[in-house]
Amino acid sequence: MDGVQEVLRFHDYGRIFSVPGLYEELFYSKLQCTSPRTIAGLLKDALAEAGGTPGSLRGLDLGAGNGMVGEALLQLGVSSLVGADIITEAETAARRDRPGVYADYVVADFPRLDEATRQRLQAPRFNLLASVAALGFGDIPSRAFATAWSLLETPAWVAFNIKEDFLSPQYQHGFSLLVKRLVDSGLLEVHRRHAYVHRLALDGTPLRYLALVGIKRGEIPSEWWEKLDD
Ligand SMILES: C[S@@+](CC[C@H](N)C(=O)[O-])C[C@H]1O[C@@H](n2cnc3c(N)ncnc32)[C@H](O)[C@@H]1O
C-alpha cells in the first residue's frame, strides 16, 4: 500500500475489501477459514440425498462479501446467484475479484428494504439462501435473516453457519432464538447439522462453528417478528 502502514480493525470489512487479496490473505491463508467449501459440500450431500440437483437452485447469498461463498456454490453447479451485503465495498470487491459469480449484487439493509429493492429481490424467486460467516454476534441481525427468509419460495434450501454454542440455552434472544424456533417448529427442516472448525482466532485458537443445512417449510409467523432484533 505505497509503503503506508494502516491499522485495520478486524471487522472493518469495507477497508479490508478495498485492498485486493487482503481478505483472502487474512481470513483464508492466515486464519485458515474453511466455511465456504464446508457449507457448499454439506449442501451438495444433502441435496443429493434428497434427490435434488444444484442446477435447479436460484440462490441468495446474504453477507456475500467479495464472493467466496458464491464461487463455491457456482462450482457446485447452482444455476444463478444474487449477492447481498450491507456495504458497497463488498459489491465493488465481488465485481473486481469474482466477476460473473453473481447475476446481481444488492447493497441494502435487509430489515429496511425499499419497495424497488424488494421487487428486485423477488424477481429471481430464490429457492436457496446461503449466509456464511455473517450471522449473529453483531453482524447480520435476526430481522435481516427473517427478511431474506421471506424472499424465499417454499420449499427452499437454507445453508448457514453460526458459533457452535449459539443454540445453547444461555442464548435466548435475537438470532439464536429465531434459529431455535425455526428448528423446533419444523419451519426449518434440518438435513445437516455439522460442528467443525470455521477458522482460527488471531491467537491461533480454533473457532468452532455449527453449519446448518435444511429446507424452509413455511413462513415465519407474524408474532415472531416482534422479538427479532435489527
Ligand atoms: C466475514 S464476512 C463473510 C463474507 C462471505 N460470506 C465469506 O464467507 O467469505 C461478513 C460479511 O457480512 C456482511 N454484513 C455484516 N452485517 C451485515 C448486514 N446487516 N447485512 C448484510 N451483510 C452484512 C459484511 O459486510 C461482510 O461482507
Side-chain angles (χ1 to χ4, degrees):
M1 287 192 294
D2 302 332
V4 178
Q5 285 199 355
E6 216 183 321
V7 178
L8 296 177
R9 278 181 297 126
F10 203 46
H11 279 184
D12 199 349
Y13 294 118
R15 308 281 285 284
I16 293 172
F17 287 140
S18 301
V19 181
L22 182 56
Y23 181 76
E24 286 81 351
E25 172 63 23
L26 206 53
F27 288 93
Y28 289 86
S29 300
K30 276 201 173 23
L31 303 178
Q32 300 167 25
C33 179
T34 61
S35 286
R37 69 167 189 275
T38 299
I39 286 174
L42 291 168
L43 176 63
K44 181 181 176 199
D45 293 348
L47 251 179
E49 199 174 271
T53 52
S56 64
L57 296 181
R58 304 172 299 279
L60 172 64
D61 180 4
L62 181 62
N66 67 347
M68 298 285 294
V69 175
E71 188 171 65
L73 292 173
L74 217 58
Q75 280 166 6
L76 208 68
V78 164
S79 86
S80 65
L81 282 170
V82 172
D85 207 285
I86 201 164
I87 56 172
T88 49
E89 291 91 338
E91 177 185 10
T92 307
R95 292 191 191 283
R96 177 196 65 210
D97 300 339
R98 294 180 181 77
V101 163
Y102 298 110
D104 191 9
Y105 200 110
V106 176
V107 175
D109 185 10
F110 263 57
R112 285 166 277 272
L113 292 180
D114 60 43
E115 195 42 41
T117 308
R118 180 172 280 281
Q119 282 179 17
R120 181 173 161 199
L121 286 164
Q122 279 167 337
R125 297 173 37 247
F126 299 121
N127 58 3
L128 166 66
L129 171 64
S131 193
V132 177
L135 294 167
F137 297 115
D139 281 330
I140 295 175
S142 54
R143 197 172 281 266
F145 183 83
T147 304
W149 184 278
S150 75
L151 293 164
L152 301 175
E153 295 199 319
T154 305
W157 285 92
V158 181
F160 60 96
N161 66 350
I162 44 182
K163 289 190 183 171
E164 192 180 24
D165 61 356
F166 207 67
L167 297 184
S168 69
Q170 75 192 93
Y171 296 110
Q172 283 301 331
H173 58 275
F175 188 66
S176 173
L177 189 60
L178 175 61
V179 175
K180 281 184 223 176
R181 293 178 106 179
L182 286 170
V183 173
D184 292 347
S185 64
L187 287 173
L188 177 60
E189 179 186 283
V190 177
H191 285 233
R192 288 290 184 282
R193 187 187 176 116
H194 175 69
Y196 71 104
V197 175
H198 158 60
R199 66 168 171 81
L200 305 178
L202 280 176
D203 66 1
T205 315
L207 293 178
R208 295 197 57 82
Y209 269 53
L210 197 63
L212 288 179
V213 174
I215 297 179
K216 170 186 171 179
R217 290 294 179 195
E219 299 303 333
I220 292 173
S222 53
E223 62 272 20
W224 292 16
W225 283 78
E226 289 157 28
K227 295 223 166 163
L228 303 180
D229 60 313
D230 61 0

